[in-house]
Each structure stands twice: as structure tokens, then as C-alpha cells.
Amino acid sequence: MLDGYSNKQVLITGGLGFIGSSLARKLVALGAKVTLVDSLIPQYGGNPFNINDILDQVLVNVCDVRDPFAIAYLLRDKDYLFNLAGQTSHLDSMADPQTDLDINAQAQLSLLEACRKVNTDLKIVFASTRQIYGKPDYLPVDEKHPIRPVDVNGINKLAGEWYHLLYNNVYGIRACALRLTNTYGPGMRVKDARQTFLGIWVRLLIEGKPIKVFGDGMQLRDFNYVDDCVDALLLAGVSDDSNGKVYNLGSNEVISLKELAGLMVSLESGGAFELIPFPPERKAIDIGDYYSDFSLINRELGWQPRIGLGDGLTRTLAYYRAYHRQYWDETS
């Protein structure tokens, strides 16, 4: 199926982020002609080093998805749009809700309007989030679970997701959404916890500092290695069976945060972790246990994760041991 990307024009928003850059690498290998868009706003995770190995095989346009004129120009000749740009920090969304609204909702509507005006033939895959479900009523969480976001980020990501589905249903612009769970791997933001808490855990381990686990550490989570996430995006893009649909990603491996910290410590010589009280601002938006039912995407698109957690973490830690200077300033 993925041969369908050969010689196709593909635009990736958030293309210098870790999922976007990993997707670009796979698309280049599949023979696609790839254009990456990224604002390179410092706190949002874009990093030119993420495409260091494919720099001469992609086009890079540094602009903001909030710029409707630039986006409309870039969309004109594209066959696929992987819409990964977004503000991902839950705490930042509470501290600065207007910016989160501008990026995760307003800019998404503007982008879709540009598609309606200049290119209704492309296929769009939107990166949504499991955060929209809020605190689960039952586990594993399937796509029929009630939607109750617990923070501004979840509400705005939900709006962005539903704009895509509306434009699919009303204007015939083929679009689907993947509700990502905790995605990790080489290229993720590790300077702080804005993108994923696993990032700062990786940094602390490599710096020889203890991982800080909030509460009793018994919260359950599932994780996807970035290569598995990329495979899901590509399958959703090339299949018309996905049009107008939303799909959960997830894993067969469910682990508590305390067990996860222990696993990471076992992979990094000299590592340690400690349990600390929840900061009030994090406790207020914590959802407790969460893991996904991903049987729908498995059944309809044939996707399932292939990279086990131990293997994925081993690869991730090895990458940051080698390249940590490209991802954080040790004085910051």
C-alpha cells in the first residue's frame, strides 16, 4: 500500500518536530517529494538537527501555520498533508489559553479553508490526541468513549479534529484523525516536559540525576515508539477507508509509571528514580490511568505496534547519549 507515496507531493506541518521528521525520513525512503513546514518557535519542539541526515532530500519552509497566505501557497500542488503542527503542552495551554486556541483550533480552521479554496483533492491526516477523552470511565478506552477534556489543550485539539472531519463530510476534502497516545523516540523534545514527560526523564537519566515520578507512580499508561506512529500515519494517509474516521493508537504493553521508571533505570547504568508529591498545577489536570483500545485501526487499516517498549527505550537512550548536545544546553 505504501508504494502509493512514490513521486507524490507531501506537505508535513510541524515537519522539524520528532514525529514530523521521522515521517519525512520514511516518506523520502518511499520516493515521495517532501516539503516540511515548521515555525521553529523555541518551546514547540522543532529542531533542524532532526533532519540532518535527509536535509538535501527535502524542502524546508520556516513559517507558522497561523500564516494563512503562506500555507495556502504551500498547499497548492500537494497530494498529501500530514498536519502535525500544534501546541502540545497541557500546562502551557492553561497558562496561555489564547495561544493554544490560536494554534490548535483557529489555525486548523484557517488551514482547512485554504484547502477548500486552493486544493480539495489532497488527503489530510490530522494528529489528534488521547487527551481529549479526559479521565477514563473504563479501560481500555475505545473511540466510543465519552469525550471530556480536562484542560484547554484537549478542548482545542478536539476542535481541530472536528474541523477536519467536518470538512471531510461537507466539502469532500478527504481527512481523518489519529488520536495519539504517548509517543516517544529519537528526536523528541527532551529539554523539558513540554512535549512528553518521557523527554525530561531521558535527560535526567543521561545527566545522572534521578527521575522524578509524581504521586505513588501507579498510574497506568501505554506508549508508542515513533516508528510505529509513523506507520499508522502512512497507512491512514494512503487508505480511503480512513476518510472521515478517527482512530486510537495504543499498545499491547501497559505499564505503571513507577515500573516504567524502573525499566529506564535498568537500561541506563547509574540511574535512579524517586517518588515526589504531585505539583498542584499537574494534579489538577491528571487523568489517572489511561490506555487505549486500538482494535479499530488494526481491523480497518491493519496497523499494530511492532516495537516493544524495552527495545524502543533502548534505541531512544542510545540516541540521546550520542546526540544530547543537539537537544539541550547543559547549563539550562
Side-chain angles (χ1 to χ4, degrees):
M1 288 178 65
L2 300 186
D3 290 342
Y5 288 106
S6 180
N7 291 313
K8 297 297 185 181
Q9 294 282 351
V10 181
L11 181 66
I12 304 174
T13 65
L16 299 184
F18 97 101
I19 297 177
S21 59
S22 296
L23 174 62
R25 191 169 292 107
K26 185 65 177 284
L27 282 164
V28 164
L30 292 168
K33 299 173 181 178
V34 180
T35 300
L36 308 179
V37 173
D38 206 293
S39 66
L40 288 179
I41 295 172
Q43 62 266 39
Y44 293 160
N47 187 334
F49 186 76
N50 284 342
I51 59 162
N52 192 55
D53 58 325
I54 55 168
L55 188 57
D56 61 347
Q57 300 174 75
V58 298
L59 296 176
V60 178
N61 192 298
V62 178
C63 76
D64 198 304
V65 290
R66 290 171 287 185
D67 181 343
F69 304 105
I71 292 298
Y73 176 79
L74 291 167
L75 285 168
R76 287 184 181 275
D77 61 345
K78 300 302 182 290
D79 299 297
Y80 294 95
L81 166 62
F82 290 94
N83 190 8
L84 310 183
Q87 196 295 110
T88 61
S89 169
H90 305 297
L91 289 181
D92 285 356
S93 80
M94 302 300 285
D96 184 5
Q98 187 63 52
T99 296
D100 194 273
L101 175 69
D102 291 345
I103 296 172
N104 289 330
Q106 170 88 31
Q108 305 307 318
L109 183 57
S110 177
L111 182 150
L112 288 161
E113 269 295 280
C115 291
R116 186 173 70 85
K117 292 172 181 176
V118 306
N119 186 353
T120 59
D121 294 326
L122 84 174
K123 171 68 178 284
I124 308 173
V125 182
F126 176 67
S128 187
T129 174
R130 55 92 174 162
Q131 192 73 10
I132 66 172
Y133 291 116
K135 189 174 178 61
D137 287 347
Y138 56 84
L139 293 166
V141 172
D142 58 20
E143 291 85 354
K144 296 178 181 179
H145 188 283
I147 291 172
R148 287 189 302 265
V150 298
D151 58 25
V152 168
N153 180 262
I155 292 171
N156 291 329
K157 288 294 287 187
L158 178 62
E161 176 187 294
W162 282 7
Y163 287 143
H164 283 75
L165 300 182
L166 177 72
Y167 274 64
N168 178 93
N169 297 339
V170 175
Y171 298 119
I173 299 171
R174 295 170 300 148
C176 64
L178 301 187
R179 292 172 178 167
L180 277 53
T181 189
N182 297 287
T183 311
Y184 71 99
M188 66 179 173
R189 185 181 177 94
V190 294
K191 182 177 181 179
D192 52 39
R194 275 194 164 93
Q195 195 169 67
T196 167
F197 70 88
L198 262 184
I200 194 64
W201 282 18
V202 166
R203 176 179 175 175
L204 290 170
L205 273 179
I206 290 174
E207 290 183 331
K209 300 173 183 175
I211 293 173
K212 300 182 188 305
V213 182
F214 298 142
D216 61 9
M218 299 311 293
Q219 309 96 306
L220 299 176
R221 292 287 187 273
D222 56 357
F223 297 85
N224 285 140
Y225 187 68
V226 65
D227 289 4
D228 286 329
C229 179
V230 164
D231 286 347
L233 291 164
L234 291 169
L235 287 169
V238 80
S239 173
D240 278 335
D241 290 339
S242 68
N243 297 345
K245 303 278 188 66
V246 295
Y247 296 105
N248 287 345
L249 300 192
S251 173
N252 290 316
E253 295 180 88
V254 177
I255 190 170
S256 74
L257 298 188
K258 184 177 178 180
E259 290 173 317
L260 175 65
L263 173 59
M264 293 178 69
V265 164
S266 73
L267 296 172
E268 187 69 19
S269 178
F273 73 89
E274 59 187 22
L275 301 178
I276 65 171
F278 256 106
E281 69 274 12
R282 289 191 178 274
K283 184 63 176 175
I285 59 175
D286 182 62
I287 61 169
D289 295 341
Y290 179 91
Y291 51 95
S292 293
D293 178 339
F294 60 92
S295 59
L296 182 62
I297 191 171
N298 175 255
R299 185 168 64 250
E300 295 193 357
L301 303 185
W303 178 84
Q304 61 181 6
R306 298 176 295 106
I307 310 298
L309 188 57
D311 186 11
L313 290 172
T314 298
R315 298 185 195 186
T316 302
L317 285 164
Y319 180 84
Y320 286 102
R321 283 190 217 106
Y323 300 114
H324 61 90
R325 287 183 178 85
Q326 279 76 32
Y327 290 91
W328 76 82
D329 179 350
E330 294 179 12
T331 65
S332 63

